[in-house]
């Protein structure tokens, strides 16, 4: 086998994804493996694209945002357009994640307060019951 290409199994092992995931990204036209009958061979370009797809998903980018970024790549532009747009999207995503973190912190604090109240109520009810007996 050519060392420049990888089979679907090799890709799954290398990137810890399932064959279904790779086929999904292929169907969404994010990956373009070479087809030899039923066999799919993934090139270095596919591996680089998958790496970016997985990173984008980890950061919460939508598949459409990832597609747009991948489609911006032009070798002659030294990736400036792609990197600039990725930076913009990443800044937006960071702001969203920080807002979510603040909301979660508030919810956690509120729940802790409710649990403390619940503990006091349980203890109070237990003391009242013991006194009545």
């Amino acid at each position: 086998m050519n060392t420049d290409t990888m089979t679907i199994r090799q890709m799954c092992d290398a990137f810890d994804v399932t064959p279904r995931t790779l086929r999904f990204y292929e169907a969404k036209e994010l990956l373009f493996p070479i087809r030899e009958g039923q066999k799919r061979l993934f090139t270095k370009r596919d591996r680089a694209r998958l790496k970016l797809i997985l990173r984008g998903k980890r950061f919460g980018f939508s598949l459409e945002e990832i597609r747009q970024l991948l489609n911006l790549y032009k070798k002659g532009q030294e990736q400036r357009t792609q990197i600039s747009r990725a930076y913009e999207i990443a800044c937006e995503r960071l702001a969203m994640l920080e807002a979510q973190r603040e909301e979660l912190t508030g919810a956690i604090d509120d729940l802790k307060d409710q649990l403390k109240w619940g503990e006091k109520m349980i203890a109070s009810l237990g003391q009242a019951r013991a006194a009545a007996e």
Side-chain angles (χ1 to χ4, degrees), residues 6-57:
M6 293 175 77
T7 65
I8 197 166
R9 176 56 37 215
Q10 291 169 323
M11 286 287 282
C12 290
D13 292 344
F15 291 95
D16 195 27
V17 295
T18 64
R20 183 177 179 181
T21 298
L22 294 175
R23 288 190 294 271
F24 175 78
Y25 291 146
E26 181 183 1
K28 294 293 182 183
E29 297 181 347
L30 297 171
L31 297 176
F32 304 94
I34 299 166
R35 299 295 295 258
E36 290 182 356
Q38 294 293 328
K39 193 176 192 180
R40 290 174 175 86
L41 296 176
F42 294 87
T43 64
K44 287 182 181 180
R45 179 175 183 260
D46 290 313
R47 292 192 297 275
R49 289 174 70 91
L50 182 58
K51 191 176 200 178
L52 292 172
I53 292 165
L54 296 175
R55 184 177 296 152
K57 291 302 293 175

Side-chain angles (χ1 to χ4, degrees), residues 105-121:
T105 298
I108 289 169
D109 291 344
D110 288 348
L111 184 55
K112 285 180 179 178
D113 289 343
Q114 288 298 308
L115 289 171
K116 286 178 187 175
W117 177 84
E119 288 171 2
K120 288 178 186 175
M121 289 301 295

Side-chain angles (χ1 to χ4, degrees), residues 47-105:
R47 292 192 297 275
R49 289 174 70 91
L50 182 58
K51 191 176 200 178
L52 292 172
I53 292 165
L54 296 175
R55 184 177 296 152
K57 291 302 293 175
R58 180 172 172 253
F59 294 148
F61 291 6
S62 70
L63 282 182
E64 187 53 36
E65 288 170 326
I66 293 168
R67 176 193 325 285
Q68 290 172 8
L69 293 173
L70 291 172
N71 289 341
L72 288 174
Y73 178 75
K74 302 273 191 270
K75 287 185 181 180
Q77 295 178 353
E78 298 177 5
Q79 304 173 359
R80 182 184 168 140
T81 304
Q82 183 185 34
I83 293 169
S84 295
R85 183 63 185 132
Y87 182 83
E88 291 169 11
I89 292 173
C91 287
E92 293 167 7
R93 185 64 189 149
L94 179 59
M96 286 175 34
L97 288 172
E98 287 175 337
Q100 288 175 341
R101 180 177 59 193
E102 288 178 26
E103 289 177 25
L104 282 172
T105 298

Side-chain angles (χ1 to χ4, degrees), residues 123-133:
S124 174
L125 291 171
Q127 290 172 355
R129 186 174 185 188
E133 292 177 350

